Amino acid sequence: MQPTPSAARAALVELSGEPLDVGAHLTAVASPRAGAVASFIGQVRDHDPDAPGPVVRLEYRAHPDALAVLRRLANEIAGRADVLGVAVSHRVGAAAVGELALVAIVATAHREAAFSHCRDLVERVKQELPVWKRQVLADGSHAWIGL
């Protein structure tokens, strides 16, 4: 029996201090009904336009309510009529350049919907998730972003 849109739940929602596993996210949304799986993978980069030097790592801190917020956002997307699966995780703690900071995956029957819902999920996570990052530079200085 297919759940009603209001009862739909995201398959995987995490805040993790460990490296994020894209394969686990893909597995979580797998469905024989899915003709499209759109993903966004955000990774730590070695620069920031506002930073005075090279970035060596980010340190993410989450508000105690952050997981509940992430779950709500993911479930709102999962509850849309044409969405077949949602998986989303955000890193917390230290992440070096090249490590994944955000993985968001949405499965639907058609690509246009998958792209649209995945983009919406990512934008909402970036706007609403109470997670802040401490940007650490090569010279040892740092700056808080998102405070």
Side-chain angles (χ1 to χ4, degrees):
M1 176 177 209
Q2 181 70 17
T4 61
S6 62
R9 296 288 177 252
L12 186 150
V13 179
E14 292 182 328
L15 291 178
S16 179
E18 299 299 319
L20 302 181
D21 181 352
V22 175
H25 289 72
L26 288 168
T27 298
V29 303
S31 168
R33 296 177 55 219
V37 178
S39 64
F40 173 83
I41 300 168
Q43 63 185 30
V44 177
R45 63 180 183 241
D46 67 356
H47 67 281
D48 183 299
D50 297 324
V55 174
V56 295
R57 76 177 177 278
L58 298 178
E59 297 172 357
Y60 292 98
R61 303 285 189 269
H63 185 277
D65 294 336
L67 183 57
V69 171
L70 189 60
R71 194 171 283 125
R72 176 182 55 79
L73 296 171
N75 288 336
E76 286 174 8
I77 300 295
R80 294 177 180 175
D82 56 349
V83 173
L84 301 171
V86 172
V88 61
S89 296
H90 200 293
R91 186 69 183 266
V92 292
V97 169
E99 289 191 79
L100 305 185
L102 173 63
V103 174
I105 297 183
V106 177
T108 66
H110 303 284
R111 73 180 173 274
E112 185 176 331
F115 284 132
S116 176
H117 294 306
C118 189
R119 180 183 185 95
D120 191 25
L121 175 59
V122 171
E123 295 303 327
R124 292 193 62 201
V125 166
K126 297 299 284 179
Q127 292 170 0
E128 299 177 41
L129 188 65
V131 170
W132 305 273
K133 63 184 176 184
R134 181 176 180 245
Q135 187 171 258
V136 181
L137 304 181
D139 68 2
S141 66
H142 69 272
W144 283 98
I145 310 296
L147 289 178

